[in-house]
Structures are given as structure tokens and as C-alpha cells.
Amino acid sequence: MPPVRPSRFRTAAVSPLIALIALVAAGCGSSGDPATDGSTAAAPAASEFPAAGGGTLEDLLSQSEPSDNIVVAPTTSVFVQGRNRFGFGVFTVDRTQLTDAKVAIYIAHGPTGKAEGPFPARLESLETDPAFTAQTTANDPDAAKAVYVTDLQLDKPGEWRMVAVVKRDGATNAVRMPSIVVSTPSEDVIPEVGEKAPVIHTPTVDDVADVTQIDTRIPPDDMHDVDFADVVGKKPVVLMFATPALCQSRVCGPVVDVADQVKRDHNGGAAFIHMEIYNQNDPNKGLRPQVNAFHLRTEPWTFVLNSDGTISSRIEGALSVDELEQAVDRAK
């Protein structure tokens, strides 16, 4: 297994999640049979999981079989008061990714809050058609293959504690997860759904001598043909911040593949732009100004914009072909 590539970008920003995000980054292989066409496996019914019953997360843990072999690792780090998309991976302690489990998340506000849930998770495959699977992805044994996703209603700012219930091979295990911190909308500096996106200039193939100056993917994708500033407010736009060759989370390669495939499927109906993360594609030279304009401190991020320049969808981390297709279809 190759060493994890350095990334000050992610580790400097989300220190409470470093250990588990590093586990996501270093997952070796997978166990199970996720969809291999970018599709979504529906979430199981809530009735398949224990009811919160007005108790605490500790009650839930005490009533379920403990496991010292399963780790549930968030792939998202930014949470705002209200409804939040929550992505995560499920692994064994030997870093094998599990994609055949039924999983639900339970949450509680602060150390004494009542447990809420279950919030069952669907499984989003990160696979694409072979024509859109880059060498960067295919040659990386640690590239993410799938991500579990659910939606959490986080009604209060501050600390939220979390437990995952994992059902697999006849066993039901409760797994403690790291706490997350929820911001108020006024504290959230990343452009949000309904807001106008910052107008940035994104480099195109016409601006550089070699496309590899603005794309670390191998081979480079074809999402560098238009400048964001020239199309925003005129047509729907998909703007993806990702660095396939330098991404510590090992998600950037697969999500750029996803965007490349969805671009073909939409046949010009929206502009698709891939924006790299580091100046001169060198982590030692800091973040590109476009990344700073969006106040991003993790990667990857995907923004889908309406024709009027407002943000329709904002997604941190991994996403499937299905999920991006739906986001683009919602854009007006």
C-alpha cells in the first residue's frame, strides 16, 4: 500500500476528524459487492434498527453488541444548523472497507442530549463507466469505491455526539463515532445553497501551455474549456474543487471521474469546471486563490449553480453519478 500523499489542506482544517479521515484515506481493498455503475443502493427501513426510545446514546451502546473491529469514519466535516448531508465510510480495523452492511446513524446534542434516530444510510457507488475511470483512479489501490450517505437534522449549534449501528453477517454492532460541531448559518463562511457564488476566474486550456498545469488527473479531463466567470449567471454550472493526484482523502480522483461522466450525459446543458487546489499543483505553495475565495479547507467540494448564479447544491466529499445527475437535474 503506497504512503498517503501529504496534504496540509485537510489535516490543518479538521483536526477532530484527522484520525478517521486518515483511515478513509488509507483503506486497503473492500469487502462486499457495491453497485459498479455509479448507482445508489437504497437505505434500509428505519424499522430494521433499534428505536431511540427517548434514551441516550450510552443506552443505545449498552443495548447493542459492542465491536472492536469496526470503525465508522465521517467523510464530511462542515455542518450547519438544519438539514445536513452526512457521508461516511465503514471499515474494519485492518482498513478493509465494508460495503455490504446496513447502517444507521444516531445523534444527540451535547453530552446529556437525548438520542435521535435512526437515520438509515444509502450506499452511493463511486464507480463510473470504464471510459471515465482515469489512470489516477484505476492505479490507486486506496481510491474510495463507495460512500454511505444519510441526511441528519441538526437543529442546534454546538457539539453533537454520534453512534452508528452496523448490521452485517447476522450481527448488530453499535459503534461510537467522533463528535461533530455544528455552526449557525451566520458562522458558515462557505457559500451556501440559495446564495450567489463568488465570481472567480478559473484557468482554461487557453491560459496555459500544458493542461497538466491545471489538472493533476491522468489523463487530464475535459472540464477546463470555460472560465467560471464567463458562464456563471448564464447557464447551470457544476464547479468541482478537487486534486486527483494529491488528495489525501483518496476521493478526488473518483469524484472527478463522476463529473466527467455526468458532463457527457448532460451534453452541454450545463458547464462543468474542474478546479485544482494547490498553486502550481504543489501542496508546499499554498492554496489557489479560487479555493480561498470559497473559504474551503477540505477537498473535494462540488457546487451546482442555477442559471442565475445561485447555488442549488453544495456537496462535500464523495458523490456518485446518480447523486450528481440528480443535483444537475434540479438546477434551473
Side-chain angles (χ1 to χ4, degrees):
M1 184 175 64
V4 174
R5 300 176 181 88
S7 175
R8 296 176 182 172
F9 186 46
R10 179 171 291 272
T11 55
V14 286
S15 56
L17 302 181
I18 289 175
L20 289 184
I21 287 174
L23 183 60
V24 174
C28 300
S30 64
S31 175
D33 186 25
T36 56
D37 58 359
S39 64
T40 301
S47 59
E48 296 189 41
F49 298 91
T56 65
L57 293 182
E58 294 301 322
D59 294 333
L60 188 68
L61 287 162
S62 67
Q63 294 166 10
S64 301
E65 183 179 347
S67 174
D68 56 4
N69 189 49
I70 296 175
V71 176
V72 179
T75 61
T76 46
S77 62
V78 175
F79 304 96
V80 183
Q81 190 174 353
R83 191 174 184 84
N84 288 258
R85 175 189 182 275
F86 181 67
F88 60 93
V90 181
F91 299 85
T92 62
V93 292
D94 66 0
R95 299 183 176 183
T96 297
Q97 185 178 16
L98 303 179
T99 56
D100 59 353
K102 295 181 178 180
V103 189
I105 303 297
Y106 296 77
I107 57 176
H109 186 256
T112 60
K114 298 295 184 182
E116 300 176 27
F119 299 93
R122 62 190 183 273
L123 182 67
E124 300 277 358
S125 169
L126 305 184
E127 300 290 338
T128 56
D129 292 346
F132 297 94
T133 303
Q135 293 178 38
T136 319
T137 305
N139 295 338
D140 184 356
D142 299 335
K145 305 300 183 186
V147 62
Y148 286 92
V149 179
T150 190
D151 295 304
L152 303 179
Q153 189 66 33
L154 303 166
D155 292 331
K156 300 176 183 177
E159 180 198 19
W160 286 79
R161 300 190 177 190
M162 311 181 75
V163 165
V165 171
V166 181
K167 302 184 71 173
R168 181 175 184 264
D169 294 339
T172 300
N173 301 117
V175 180
R176 196 185 303 274
M177 298 175 64
S179 296
I180 62 173
V181 177
V182 175
S183 301
T184 64
S186 63
E187 295 171 327
D188 182 26
V189 296
I190 297 171
E192 179 57 280
V193 171
E195 296 179 353
K196 291 276 190 178
V199 178
I200 58 173
H201 285 283
T202 55
T204 72
V205 290
D206 294 331
D207 299 322
V208 292
D210 188 329
V211 68
T212 60
Q213 295 176 249
I214 56 173
D215 193 344
T216 62
R217 185 177 186 260
I218 303 173
D221 57 71
D222 63 353
M223 294 183 285
H224 308 283
D225 53 345
V226 296
D227 182 343
F228 180 80
D230 291 339
V231 292
V232 65
K234 299 177 182 178
K235 64 188 302 186
V237 180
V238 176
L239 175 62
M240 178 173 283
F241 292 89
T243 179
L246 301 170
C247 185
Q248 185 178 2
S249 69
R250 308 311 257 266
V251 168
C252 294
V255 300
V256 172
D257 296 350
V258 162
D260 208 22
Q261 178 170 326
V262 175
K263 179 183 179 182
R264 174 206 63 182
D265 296 343
H266 280 264
N267 194 29
F272 284 72
I273 298 171
H274 165 208
M275 182 68 230
E276 279 283 341
I277 299 299
Y278 300 107
N279 288 318
Q280 299 179 42
N281 298 332
D282 183 348
N284 296 315
K285 294 184 178 179
L287 304 179
R288 292 180 184 256
Q290 297 89 343
V291 177
N292 285 325
F294 274 72
H295 303 284
L296 304 180
R297 292 296 177 268
T298 58
E299 85 293 309
W301 279 85
T302 304
F303 296 86
V304 181
L305 284 75
N306 295 314
S307 297
D308 65 358
T310 59
I311 296 170
S312 173
S313 300
R314 133 183 144 164
I315 301 172
E316 180 188 9
L319 77 168
S320 68
V321 167
D322 271 359
E323 193 169 17
L324 185 55
E325 288 272 11
Q326 293 168 20
V328 176
D329 288 343
R330 287 194 300 268
K332 302 175 181 177

